[in-house]
Amino acid sequence: MMTQKVRAVLAIVSISCCLGAQNHVIPADKRAALDHISAASMRGHLSFIASDALEGRNTPSTGLDIAAEYIAAQFRRAGLEPVGDDGYFQTAGYAVAETPMESFELKLRSGGETVNVPASQVSFSIEEALNASAAVFKVDYKDAAALAAVKPDQIEGRVVFTEIPNYRREPRSRWMEMYRAQEEFTGKMKTLKAALVVSVDRLSATGSGGGAGRLIDPENRRTVPATAGTPVITVHDPRVVKAYDAMKPGPSDVELSARVPAQIERPVKLRNVIGLLRGSDPTLADTYVLLTAHYDHLGKGPANGGDNIYNGANDDGSGTVSVIEIASALATLKQRPKRSIVFMTFFGEEKGGFGSRFYGRNPVFPLNKTVADVNLEQVGRTDDSEGPQISNATVTGFDYSDIGTTLKAAGELTGVTVYKHEKNSDAFFSRSDNQSLADQGVPAHTVGVTFLFPDYHGVGDQWEKIDYSNMEKVDRMVALGLMMIADNPQEPKWDASNPKAARYLKAWQTHHNK
Ligand SMILES: [Zn+2]
């Protein structure tokens, strides 16, 4: 294996060897447009988009709304056509389910004393109304043997008192395992007919209340409950933690009562941001190439005294500012590309591709005239878990369509190696918004520099850690690739010989009445 230093030296050699050639091959006007893509400009944009002030751009949140306004402002500055239903915004009517906390109540009675836990010191997500008042049975969450020995008559109708660790404070690699353990625990409590699980949290004295904000897509409602287990209320009140510590595992004469009102749905407006650079060819201008990225991220985690803001600079602030920057650069072209280019940033990707699925159901431009979607994810960091990715870019589902080959050719002209990652390219196809467009038959892929990087979905994904000069280079490749697709009278095609592309080809045929 090469050392990092050898890789870096090779990269520099390859840049200088290709500069001459690229001036040769890329026409001067296009070259000039590509030169507008600037590391410094993107650094400026991202230092705002990924700032703490936007609180991690959760869907929905004020931070997300501010990010949308910022993106729209940059589209306006570039002179893109506003093609949403409200200027640059495509508005989606969603709902958020929250518990009306003014009717919430939680009391712990021990000896002659009653602790009234304030709504600000609990966290939970319970959909149905719940009333519980019972004696407390303490279970040591970490003691598997004790848990196995618990008898049904000890638990039935009781409030189970325990301490479930918050997986969101742990490295992302442990989340799934910890989440499963929690599901298994609450599932067991359900079988034993526990009335409620109350979990203490000693690391934070404040909670998120019952308003964690479950997002509801009105056209696509979930029909199964979120959890099959007994509901859990996490209590952050230090007085309750103290009472917990004073108890021995097993039955007690401590009593707990809880009243949780049913969740109420509040309508919320979510917005994709969308701008158009109209094509120049009389016929092809009515066909569309999409450049997309998601502008949301994970929001804030539980307060723990330290940093609890998931800034999402690389995921996917990097894609967002790249869309802004490439739009601004291509808008300077005197001779526009033949096809129209649509620049769009989606809400709700982290919650499950909500924004792109909304667009797929409500396309602004006909899907049978949308010839490609190039989606950008994680194009800023180069410190991949498999080693530095300088002047490299990868395409998911690389050979599902011929877009991978086009981007590879664009990479050869701009000094970027566009490659298929043998293990990850196909596996990551479904992990971003390109999937929503592919489901509608549009040849759609995600371009990224890293698959996994340190700080992935962590609070450390901050704008200072981005490799802006590499992102500038990769974005020039993307911009050139877009122009190549937009100028080519042949539209991109799914590969009919690739079985993995079969369902997308079928969707394409449906939209084209073939
Ligand atoms: Zn993500």
Side-chain angles (χ1 to χ4, degrees), residues 294 296-298 315-316 349-350 377-378 456-457:
H294 72 88
D296 69 304
H297 193 59
L298 302 170
D315 178 12
D316 189 22
E349 190 272 350
E350 300 288 3
E377 270 261 20
Q378 300 183 181
Y456 170 74
H457 282 199

Side-chain angles (χ1 to χ4, degrees), residues 329-342:
L330 298 190
T332 66
L333 283 166
K334 286 196 186 67
Q335 175 64 30
R336 296 265 176 97
K338 292 191 172 90
R339 299 182 194 274
S340 296
I341 303 181
V342 179

Side-chain angles (χ1 to χ4, degrees), residues 371-374 395-407 426 429 438 441-446 485 491-498 500-502 504-505 508:
V371 302
D373 170 34
V374 176
V395 178
T396 64
F398 189 93
D399 39 28
Y400 292 11
S401 86
D402 50 14
I403 290 177
T405 314
T406 303
L407 294 173
D426 290 0
F429 186 79
V442 176
H445 302 261
T446 290
I485 296 168
E491 59 186 73
K493 287 268 179 296
W494 293 107
D495 183 351
S497 69
N498 188 334
K500 290 181 180 170
Y504 309 122
L505 177 60
W508 185 92

Side-chain angles (χ1 to χ4, degrees), residues 89-119:
F89 302 124
Q90 181 189 37
T91 316
Y94 276 59
V96 168
E98 286 163 333
T99 303
M101 291 302 280
E102 56 282 2
S103 330
F104 169 84
E105 208 178 82
L106 192 117
K107 285 183 179 146
L108 187 80
R109 279 180 291 275
S110 156
E113 254 179 83
T114 300
V115 175
N116 226 323
V117 179

Side-chain angles (χ1 to χ4, degrees), residues 429-465:
F429 186 79
S430 63
R431 290 189 50 177
S432 191
D433 289 311
N434 62 292
Q435 178 72 51
S436 308
L437 276 302
D439 284 340
Q440 302 289 345
V442 176
H445 302 261
T446 290
V447 172
V449 171
T450 50
F451 286 104
L452 293 173
F453 60 100
D455 305 315
Y456 170 74
H457 282 199
V459 293
D461 182 7
Q462 290 162 330
W463 66 268
E464 294 91 337
K465 298 180 187 175

Side-chain angles (χ1 to χ4, degrees), residues 182-296:
Q182 184 179 324
E183 285 287 289
E184 198 181 313
F185 179 85
T186 58
K188 173 157 185 166
M189 292 307 132
K190 176 95 174 179
T191 313
L192 297 172
K193 299 188 177 142
L196 175 69
V197 172
V198 170
S199 173
V200 296
D201 177 28
R202 63 183 77 241
L203 296 176
S204 165
T206 47
S208 55
R214 183 168 56 90
L215 194 59
I216 297 167
D217 176 351
E219 297 173 31
N220 226 336
R221 295 186 80 93
R222 172 161 57 72
T223 48
V224 290
T227 171
T230 299
V232 180
I233 297 178
T234 301
V235 178
H236 308 272
D237 187 329
R239 296 169 300 172
V240 176
V241 178
K242 203 172 155 200
Y244 176 83
D245 287 340
M247 287 166 64
K248 285 198 193 66
S252 75
D253 46 18
V254 174
E255 293 218 347
L256 194 141
S257 63
R259 190 170 75 211
V260 180
Q263 285 186 338
I264 291 173
E265 287 183 22
R266 158 174 75 86
V268 60
K269 273 188 186 169
L270 297 172
R271 300 181 295 180
N272 291 325
V273 190
I274 176 166
L276 178 78
L277 186 69
R278 198 169 290 278
S280 58
D281 183 89
T283 315
L284 292 176
D286 191 30
T287 65
Y288 303 87
V289 182
L290 310 185
L291 180 70
T292 58
H294 72 88
Y295 72 99
D296 69 304

